[in-house]
Amino acid sequence: MDHAFHVTDTSTSWTPRSWRDRPAAQQPDWPDEGAYEAVLKQMSTLPPLVFAGEARALTEHLADVANGEAFLLQAGDCAESFDAFGADAIRDKLKVILQMAVVLTYSSGVPTVKVGRIAGQFAKPRSSPTETVGDVVLPSFRGHMVNDIAPNDDARVPDPNRLLQAYHQSSATLNLLRAFTKGGYADLQQVHTWNQQFVASSNEGRRYERLADEIDRALRFMKACGVNTHSQPALHEVDFFTSHEALILGYEEAMTRRDSLTGDWYDTSAHMIWIGERTRQIDGAHVAFFAGIKNPIGCKVGPTATADEVLALCERLNPERIPGRLTLITRMGAEKVEAGLPPLLAAVRDSGHPVVWACDPMHGNTFSAPDGHKTRHLNDVLAEIAGFFAAHKAEGTWPGGVHVELTGDDVTECLGGAEEILDTDLGSRYETMCDPRLNGRQSLDLAFEVSELLRG
Ligand code: PEP
Ligand code: CO
């Protein structure tokens, strides 16, 4: 095993620029390389968005997940938008994640590690460099960090100033998230106020209200027994972490700093970053970049991944076998998960690599509705999660978490749910810039289903 080789490899010669020697998939063609490099230089002088100590704390929480003692809930937008940027949308997304976490923790008794796809999720890999809108062929939209979604050629030209705008929007988003989660809003006594009106009027919302009543009663019981609940920070604030797909490597390089405490390199653009399904080539630039940073990291694993590929990724990305360092996010599709996942679980288990296994039940279950909208059916999403749990049960491994695309808004992007969204409804509130997201009711429904699987 070339275990020792990689330790020296990354700790002595790695720099944030090392990836530039490797082929980098999915990078934009910046029209003016000089302008792009000038923006990166400016970015490298800007304050970090997160601190190394926070990233280390997340690694420790994820180590509990790797050990089968906690559950990971990673959730948020497919792509954040420069246009839909405001306090209400951020609060409502946080609300639905807090609700899901309370459902999972209260119903299963397992602590939930909360990580948003937020405050940096602005770049999208695309299957094709062009897309057809109406009857015009345009360069693909690559996320607001790169170009604009408007259907004309000018809007689709990559603009490096967007990297700076993504940084500043991430900073403002993170500031608000810190205020909400540490400043009283995430207090467990607010458990009722996290329920939005459109959710509360549904079956899932009523089920949530009953659970919130029980939590209220439990808190009153603790007080009556003489427990000083005021002095328990765990009841009044929440640890909430940020994450995104680290696709545009120049941006990530510019945000990478050496931690003054340990001397290690951290990508300070988010607590956790992940490698997408299209950029996980073992000799590619993304894997080379991720190998040298100390943050907790994720890697998507789709239906074509072989056990050898997954083991090579584990060796390259976590040669020191640090629990919590590496999360493998499987996205097999509902039909493939039960046969495709067990061989990967067995191979990693037998290698002794301590990974977190999380299920992304979204990206393997996307299809086009008759009217052309990209969609997913909640039943397929739930079926993939059930298959994920079954595969782990068969292999004796821990189904560590879920990774989902959702919004706090009352959208009609995914089909199904108790308030059955039909394909004829998709046009009414289809607002995503990229993939279809679960709305608040569908997200709660998913949380109740997962907590039952965890209990079982
Ligand atoms: C995503 O998470 O939005 C995504 C593009 O996923 P994947 O890399 O798994 O296709
Ligand atoms: Co997506």
Side-chain angles (χ1 to χ4, degrees), residues 2-303:
D2 58 356
H3 183 172
F5 163 75
H6 284 312
V7 175
T8 22
D9 177 29
T10 50
S11 59
T12 58
S13 60
W14 188 93
T15 77
R17 296 177 64 86
S18 302
W19 64 270
R20 290 175 182 247
D21 302 336
R22 308 288 180 110
Q26 297 282 341
Q27 303 303 291
D29 273 325
W30 303 101
D32 177 348
E33 275 293 321
Y36 170 61
E37 292 298 338
V39 165
L40 297 187
K41 191 164 175 210
Q42 184 189 349
M43 281 193 69
S44 67
T45 66
L46 297 174
L49 294 175
V50 304
F51 302 106
E54 297 173 323
R56 279 194 287 276
L58 177 56
T59 301
E60 277 167 34
H61 288 303
L62 291 170
D64 293 340
V65 180
N67 292 332
E69 288 156 6
F71 192 75
L72 167 66
L73 172 62
Q74 190 170 15
D77 264 312
C78 180
E80 287 174 276
S81 166
F82 286 176
D83 304 326
F85 175 43
D88 291 355
I90 297 167
R91 182 201 57 209
D92 291 345
K93 219 168 297 166
L94 178 65
K95 266 183 180 179
V96 69
I97 296 173
L98 290 174
Q99 280 188 284
M100 291 173 80
V102 146
V103 167
L104 286 166
T105 307
Y106 189 79
S107 320
S108 71
V110 180
T112 307
V113 182
K114 296 165 273 296
V115 181
R117 283 177 64 116
I118 197 167
Q121 177 54 23
F122 291 106
K124 299 311 298 173
R126 302 314 301 256
S127 321
S128 160
T130 59
E131 64 191 321
T132 307
V133 182
D135 44 17
V136 269
V137 178
L138 293 165
S140 292
F141 171 60
R142 293 182 176 273
H144 268 166
M145 187 185 279
V146 176
N147 59 6
D148 193 39
I149 198 166
N152 64 74
D153 277 307
D154 285 349
R156 298 297 172 93
V157 177
D159 175 1
N161 289 310
R162 290 178 166 271
L163 300 171
L164 280 168
Q165 195 174 342
Y167 167 87
H168 288 295
Q169 182 164 328
S170 300
S171 163
T173 302
L174 198 46
N175 180 55
L176 198 62
L177 289 171
R178 290 187 196 278
F180 278 135
T181 53
K182 299 294 177 189
Y185 187 78
D187 192 312
L188 207 45
Q189 297 189 67
Q190 303 288 325
V191 66
H192 281 285
T193 63
W194 303 336
N195 209 354
Q196 290 199 77
Q197 219 163 9
F198 84 90
V199 180
S201 61
S202 66
N203 286 336
E204 300 88 342
R206 284 187 289 273
R207 192 171 171 194
Y208 174 81
E209 288 296 339
R210 290 195 292 277
L211 184 140
D213 286 340
E214 285 179 39
I215 292 173
D216 272 347
R217 217 163 32 239
L219 288 173
R220 283 199 301 275
F221 173 72
M222 280 160 72
K223 276 187 212 151
C225 291
V227 176
N228 182 355
T229 55
H230 287 294
S231 65
Q232 302 291 328
L235 297 176
H236 305 296
E237 49 183 59
V238 150
D239 288 330
F240 186 82
F241 299 94
T242 60
S243 71
H244 61 262
E245 177 176 351
L247 185 73
I248 308 300
L249 289 170
Y251 178 88
E252 306 300 335
E253 172 195 317
M255 292 306 296
T256 297
R257 314 289 155 79
R258 213 187 257 282
D259 173 33
S260 54
L261 224 54
T262 59
D264 290 329
W265 292 103
Y266 282 85
D267 183 343
T268 66
S269 70
H271 299 110
M272 176 182 184
I273 52 176
W274 76 83
I275 306 174
E277 171 69 0
R278 295 165 188 78
T279 50
R280 61 173 165 79
Q281 301 79 11
I282 192 77
D283 292 318
H286 290 82
V287 168
F289 176 78
F290 276 68
I293 53 156
K294 279 283 176 178
N295 305 56
I297 60 175
C299 184
K300 293 287 193 89
V301 175

Side-chain angles (χ1 to χ4, degrees), residues 396-408:
T397 46
W398 174 242
V402 289
H403 178 120
V404 292
E405 291 181 340
L406 56 72
T407 169

